[in-house]
């Protein structure tokens, strides 16, 4: 058996080296234009700081002009460089289109905006659900559609990138980020499932233009929204105003009790700077899925499916650990349903 494995493993690695697509690529950042939506705070701002430190020209788009000006000032003080800022609501395609056109050809696009409101479908107002979908999913389409003509006009011909932030502000447990639905996160999970499908299809559409797509899955991240709390009884109009203004809030304070029981207290949060560094490294390497910890990688192995893969060693690990990861996932799902059954039995 050991001899068989020693013979099979190199053959499998050779096969994967020949078939993984897209092929491995390096995406340069220095002296190129990085455009970040949701870039006025949190991970978006940290990404902007990191990109500027590596010599990129950076543009930020967000809804709040005041927060954009604060972000611009913080970057100027830290690096002595001015970034371009554009105030627009991602739900307004025309406004986004005008901002992107003013910014000029784009080499790296980071679609980072996002909101969420925990709550069971039965208890959530339709306008709240619509807002989550409009910002997280429709807003992503608006930003990408506005940017694509300008990305194709880039003059250097070097590889370009579109990165989608699957877990905005890192506020929720890593399990919700990719393709796992959690009690009380129906609207949010639906948008994140949608982003993965969008990314997979988009990569096929854009590979001939040398544009590479990444999906970023950060765990809990220390951001301003991490401390921004609201009461679960707050009027839903106030909720909409605050989530659109702040982007997120202290999710653990208002999520349904069962969601908290299923997801647990979670581990220590990463800093926005740590997430930004790992995200930018993944973008530069052309990685389709960008993970941050062991749990994330195991989730990626168990649900890789038809996702693109640029690294043949990672593809090898996906194949080797897929079965074990699926078994572990089934045990986790079993534990979730036990929690739900016990709660409803009381």
């Amino acid at each position: 058996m050991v001899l068989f494995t020693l013979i099979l493993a190199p053959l499998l690695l050779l096969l994967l080296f020949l078939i993984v697509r897209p092929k491995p690529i390096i995406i340069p950042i220095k002296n190129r234009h990085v455009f970040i939506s949701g870039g006025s705070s949190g991970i978006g701002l940290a990404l902007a700081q990191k990109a500027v430190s590596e010599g990129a020209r950076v543009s930020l788009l967000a809804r709040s002009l005041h927060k954009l000006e604060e972000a611009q000032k913080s970057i100027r003080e830290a690096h002595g460089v001015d970034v371009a800022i554009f105030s627009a609501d991602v739900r307004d395609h025309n406004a986004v289109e005008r901002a992107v056109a003013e910014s000029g050809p784009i080499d790296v696009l980071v679609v980072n905006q996002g909101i969420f409101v925990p709550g069971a479908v039965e208890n959530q107002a339709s306008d709240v659900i619509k807002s989550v979908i409009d910002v997280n999913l429709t807003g992503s389409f608006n930003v990408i559609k506005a940017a694509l003509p300008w990305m194709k006009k880039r003059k250097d011909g070097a590889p370009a990138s579109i990165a989608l932030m699957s877990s905005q502000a890192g506020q929720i447990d890593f399990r919700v980020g990719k393709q796992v639905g959690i009690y009380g996160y129906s609207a949010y999970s639906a948008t994140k499932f949608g982003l993965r499908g969008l990314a997979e299809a988009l990569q096929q559409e854009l590979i001939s233009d040398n544009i590479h797509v990444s999906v970023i899955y950060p765990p809990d991240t220390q951001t301003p929204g991490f401390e921004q709390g609201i009461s679960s009884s707050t009027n839903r109009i106030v909720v909409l105003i605050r989530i659109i203004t702040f982007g997120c809030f202290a999710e653990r304070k208002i999520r349904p009790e069962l969601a908290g029981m299923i997801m647990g207290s979670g581990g220590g949060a990463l800093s926005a700077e740590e997430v930004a560094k790992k995200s930018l490294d993944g973008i530069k390497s052309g990685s389709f899925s960008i993970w941050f910890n062991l749990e994330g990688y195991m989730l990626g192995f168990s649900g890789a499916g038809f996702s693109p893969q640029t690294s043949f060693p990672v593809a090898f690990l996906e194949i080797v650990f897929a079965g074990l990861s699926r078994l572990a996932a089934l045990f986790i799902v079993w534990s979730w349903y036990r929690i739900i059954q016990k709660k409803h039995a009381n």
Side-chain angles (χ1 to χ4, degrees):
M1 181 64 181
V2 175
L3 182 61
F4 177 76
T5 302
L6 290 174
I7 295 173
L8 182 61
L11 290 175
L12 179 56
L13 283 167
L14 176 60
L15 175 64
L16 293 172
F17 174 77
L18 296 173
I19 68 170
V20 291
R21 292 294 185 276
K23 300 300 288 182
I25 197 78
I26 298 297
I27 297 171
I29 295 294
K30 188 175 182 179
N31 297 324
R32 306 191 82 206
H33 184 200
V34 177
F35 189 102
I36 305 171
S37 67
S40 62
S41 63
I43 296 173
L45 177 55
L47 271 166
Q49 296 269 13
K50 181 64 176 170
V52 166
S53 74
E54 296 194 12
R57 176 172 75 89
V58 173
S59 297
L60 305 178
L61 180 142
R63 187 173 182 272
S64 169
L65 180 59
H66 174 67
K67 291 180 69 178
L68 281 167
E69 290 172 340
E70 288 183 339
Q72 186 184 50
K73 180 181 177 181
S74 71
I75 294 172
R76 184 188 305 120
E77 290 175 347
H79 302 283
V81 174
D82 265 328
V83 299
I85 57 173
F86 302 94
S87 176
D89 189 328
V90 294
R91 297 171 299 177
D92 183 344
H93 176 71
N94 291 333
V96 173
E97 202 169 47
R98 287 192 296 270
V100 169
E102 187 177 342
S103 77
I106 295 170
D107 301 296
V108 176
L109 174 68
V110 182
V111 185
N112 178 66
Q113 84 286 337
I115 60 173
F116 63 91
V117 185
V121 170
E122 183 180 8
N123 302 324
Q124 275 196 318
S126 296
D127 51 357
V128 173
I129 294 173
K130 185 177 186 299
S131 289
V132 173
I133 295 171
D134 285 349
V135 173
N136 295 3
L137 191 55
T138 307
S140 296
F141 275 98
N142 287 341
V143 173
I144 292 168
K145 281 180 64 64
L148 274 178
W150 293 96
M151 297 189 75
K152 292 183 178 183
K153 289 179 181 178
R154 65 191 191 282
K155 297 178 180 179
D156 60 10
S161 171
I162 296 175
L164 304 175
M165 189 67 66
S166 181
S167 192
Q168 166 64 19
Q171 286 285 350
I172 46 183
D173 188 272
F174 72 91
R175 292 166 292 192
V176 186
K178 190 175 183 184
Q179 69 260 8
V180 180
I182 296 288
Y183 186 103
Y185 286 81
S186 300
Y188 185 86
S189 295
T191 63
K192 296 311 175 180
F193 275 62
L195 283 183
R196 173 171 171 177
L198 166 60
E200 291 186 2
L202 194 63
Q203 181 61 94
Q204 295 177 29
E205 294 174 10
L206 299 179
I207 191 61
S208 61
D209 295 296
N210 206 12
I211 299 174
H212 299 262
V213 179
S214 298
V215 189
I216 305 169
Y217 303 108
D220 283 352
T221 306
Q222 297 164 3
T223 66
F226 200 75
E227 303 299 330
Q228 178 65 34
I230 67 172
S231 165
S232 59
S233 61
T234 303
N235 181 279
R236 72 171 185 264
I237 301 301
V238 176
V239 170
L240 285 174
I241 293 172
R242 293 185 70 173
I243 62 180
I244 291 170
T245 301
F246 293 105
C248 54
F249 42 80
E251 167 266 338
R252 286 190 179 122
K253 295 182 180 179
I254 66 165
R255 67 187 179 194
E257 182 184 0
L258 264 173
M261 294 169 67
I262 289 171
M263 294 163 66
S265 59
L270 296 179
S271 69
E273 290 72 24
E274 290 175 302
V275 172
K277 182 182 184 306
K278 183 70 181 270
S279 298
L280 196 60
D281 286 345
I283 291 170
K284 290 189 295 184
S285 67
S287 300
F288 181 79
S289 297
I290 301 174
W291 297 100
F292 294 80
N293 52 29
L294 178 61
E295 292 90 346
Y297 281 108
M298 292 304 291
L299 179 60
F301 293 158
S302 66
F306 284 80
S307 294
Q309 180 55 261
T310 59
S311 169
F312 73 91
V314 174
F316 178 80
L317 293 175
E318 288 173 346
I319 293 169
V320 170
F321 289 108
L324 289 175
S325 298
R326 175 56 176 159
L327 179 61
L330 288 171
F331 273 107
I332 293 171
V333 172
W334 169 73
S335 70
W336 293 348
Y337 278 91
R338 284 192 66 195
I339 291 170
I340 294 170
Q341 289 168 352
K342 287 182 179 179
K343 176 65 178 177
H344 286 293
N346 293 336

